[in-house]
Amino acid sequence: MRKYLVLFLVLIAAISCDKKSKEEKAIEETPPVSLKVYRFDKAFFETPPNELANLKAEYPFFFPEGTPDQVWTDKMKDPQWRELYKEVEKNIPISENRLLRLRIYSNI
């Protein structure tokens, strides 16, 4: 009797392990989405200080009104900020032209 009980439990466990939930099936059926990444830090540190006006026009929400341009050009030239940017580039090498493929999961 004990053998039949163990065999029955093993059989139930084997059958139930292979089933996927509705959410898992929906995730697999969701098509990938292309995403364009625009990095402000890359644009900021690779833009020459004399082109700050173009950068401010492209990213106005990063430049509060009333802050003089000298503050931003000083940050562009500051060796500590530039070194920090270089370290970020080493660890997060996402180029502006690279597309990231992401899946958006719905109904979870």
Side-chain angles (χ1 to χ4, degrees):
M1 182 69 169
R2 191 176 265 191
K3 290 179 186 178
Y4 293 118
L5 181 61
V6 170
L7 181 62
F8 178 73
L9 291 176
V10 169
L11 184 63
I12 297 267
I15 291 172
S16 66
C17 287
D18 193 32
K19 294 186 179 182
K20 294 183 180 178
S21 68
K22 291 179 183 178
E23 289 85 14
E24 289 172 326
K25 289 178 184 177
I27 289 169
E28 288 177 355
E29 293 171 1
T30 304
V33 175
S34 294
L35 176 69
K36 180 83 171 160
V37 175
Y38 296 95
R39 290 186 44 200
F40 172 73
D41 64 326
K42 187 173 184 69
F44 184 79
F45 286 106
E46 292 181 3
T47 300
N50 60 348
E51 295 181 15
L52 180 63
N54 298 339
L55 189 65
K56 287 174 76 172
E58 191 173 350
Y59 300 98
F61 38 87
F62 284 113
F63 298 98
E65 291 184 28
T67 305
D69 288 349
Q70 186 65 38
V71 171
W72 305 115
T73 56
D74 287 348
K75 282 190 180 189
M76 287 176 158
K77 297 174 187 176
D78 188 332
Q80 290 179 332
W81 279 102
R82 297 200 71 75
E83 185 169 343
L84 177 63
Y85 168 68
K86 287 178 187 175
E87 289 299 316
V88 169
E89 276 295 298
K90 286 180 191 176
N91 293 310
I92 310 173
I94 299 173
S95 68
E96 190 173 324
N97 298 323
R98 183 175 168 194
L99 290 177
L100 298 178
R101 305 287 287 172
L102 298 178
R103 281 193 179 259
I104 296 179
Y105 303 108
S106 59
N107 300 324
I108 295 180

